[in-house]
Amino acid sequence: MQGVLGAEDAARLGLPANGWTLLGNVVQPKSRGHIRLTGPDPADPIHIETNLLSDPDDRKSLLACVRLCREIGNLDVLRPFLKQEVLPGKLKRTTLEDYIRDATISFWHQTSTARMGRDAMSVVDANLKVYGVDNLRVADGSIMPRVTTGNTMAPCVIIGERAAEIIRKQHQIEALLHEK
């Protein structure tokens, strides 16, 4: 998910004490980032390249989204609640595109870096086992084959529950609990 929110601009401009915001976002971006190991030690940090707005369709979608938010925010019916538009304001297309590029943030719901499936790009199987690695499962949002259109929390809870079910069954944990 990607959105536009210029917090630094807002602070610099001194937003009013009372106000409202329309925040649009691209929920299924085409832009794809990657992660890379920086060394052999598991404690070595990873390098994350988000590649936000690297796909031109995402830039077009976000531009349309900002325009729609501005249009809604400036409707006559909202005039009684509007003193002025603070951000982004009336900007020419190229300046607005620059603003969007500089103000775009992530909602930090990255997914699909270790996707589940059967093709060459897949990392885990239907039992959440990592292909080619013994005794390792992945049970988080990274296994989602595609970016979800909503918050990732619910799918992650389901993935965790499914992982617990698989592990309980494999190790007969329920039977052990009942024996005690």
Side-chain angles (χ1 to χ4, degrees):
M1 294 185 173
Q2 301 165 5
V4 176
L5 180 63
E8 292 164 6
D9 289 338
R12 180 177 50 80
L13 293 171
L15 286 178
N18 298 306
W20 49 275
T21 302
L22 292 175
L23 179 62
N25 61 73
V26 178
V27 292
Q28 288 195 306
K30 292 181 180 179
S31 299
R32 294 291 181 256
H34 61 271
I35 58 175
R36 187 176 69 239
L37 300 176
T38 61
D41 188 321
D44 288 338
I46 58 171
H47 174 79
I48 301 173
E49 179 58 56
T50 60
N51 281 334
L52 295 179
L53 302 180
S54 60
D55 189 287
D57 286 345
D58 291 345
R59 292 191 299 272
K60 282 191 259 182
S61 294
L62 209 45
L63 179 62
C65 190
V66 169
R67 286 182 170 155
L68 179 60
C69 286
R70 289 192 71 240
E71 183 180 322
I72 292 168
N74 288 299
L75 286 172
D76 287 340
V77 71
L78 295 176
R79 288 268 178 234
F81 309 102
L82 180 67
K83 277 189 183 176
Q84 69 179 20
E85 178 182 331
V86 179
L87 292 170
K90 285 190 173 187
L91 301 174
K92 294 179 185 171
R93 182 184 170 113
T94 56
T95 309
L96 183 57
E97 287 171 349
D98 290 344
Y99 173 82
I100 290 169
R101 185 195 66 239
D102 294 340
T104 294
I105 61 169
S106 169
F107 293 133
W108 300 108
H109 291 198
Q110 284 83 348
T111 62
S112 312
T113 55
R115 70 187 227 176
M116 178 173 38
R118 296 182 188 170
D119 63 9
M121 294 298 293
S122 296
V123 176
V124 300
D125 65 17
N127 287 311
L128 310 176
K129 289 183 176 182
V130 175
Y131 289 117
V133 180
D134 292 334
N135 301 316
L136 179 61
R137 293 181 199 268
V138 176
D140 61 23
S142 66
I143 72 155
M144 294 181 207
R146 288 178 298 288
V147 178
T148 60
T149 57
N151 191 300
T152 57
M153 186 227 156
C156 286
V157 168
I158 292 167
I159 291 166
E161 290 291 332
R162 179 70 177 129
E165 179 184 319
I166 291 168
I167 292 167
R168 272 196 312 268
K169 191 179 231 180
Q170 178 184 350
H171 297 285
Q172 299 174 343
I173 293 173
E174 308 256 321
L176 293 174
L177 291 174
H178 293 302
E179 288 177 14
K180 292 184 180 186

